[in-house]
Amino acid sequence: MQKTLLLIKPNACKHNLIGRIIDMVERNGFVVVDLKLFTMTKDIANEFYEMHQLRDFFSKLIEFMTSGKTVAVILEKDNAIADLRLLVGNTNPSEANPGTIRYLYGESTTINAVHASDSEENALREIDIIFNKQ
Ligand code: CMP
């Protein structure tokens, strides 16, 4: 069994999509291990996305991620990290496969409805930031 972190971002929370997104992941075999509804602080957003700090979209990303409620969900399943990224779809919703979460609910490359950890190391790092520091 592997754990991963899903963030349901502020645009999806604002549009009442929390239940639909959790339903999608549960129907795809993921088990919810823990979850948390919160508003990301600037400090936590900076730490969470520190690998992107030199990118031109960084300030837009931090502004968006601190703009409203986020739901963080720890999910468990065999091959959870790769399988969740498949279900989430391409970072840019206009390039995401039909049926993926970002295809359905993403608005732009920044406002893309959800985040999913991209490696075991990052899953552990992200879970620690959100569940032990925020
Ligand atoms: P996420 O999976 O949360 O990881 C990093 C985030 O940065 C990504 O989703 C997008 O919200 C944002 N992002 C990544 N690349 C770009 C880009 N080229 N332009 C704007 N935002 C981006």
Side-chain angles (χ1 to χ4, degrees), residues 76-95:
E76 192 171 64
K77 177 188 181 297
D78 284 338
N79 207 32
I81 292 169
D83 287 357
L84 185 62
R85 286 180 70 82
L86 273 180
L87 182 62
V88 157
N90 195 292
T91 306
N92 180 349
S94 67
E95 290 174 16

Side-chain angles (χ1 to χ4, degrees), residues 7 9-10 40 45 49 60-68 70:
L7 293 184
K9 295 185 178 185
M40 215 178 250
Y49 284 117
K60 214 166 68 173
L61 175 62
I62 300 304
E63 190 186 332
F64 166 55
M65 291 304 297
T66 57
S67 69
T70 288

Side-chain angles (χ1 to χ4, degrees), residues 9 49 52 57 61 91 102 109-110 112 114-116:
K9 295 185 178 185
Y49 284 117
H52 299 304
F57 59 80
L61 175 62
T91 306
R102 284 174 173 158
T109 307
T110 298
N112 59 358
V114 286
H115 165 85

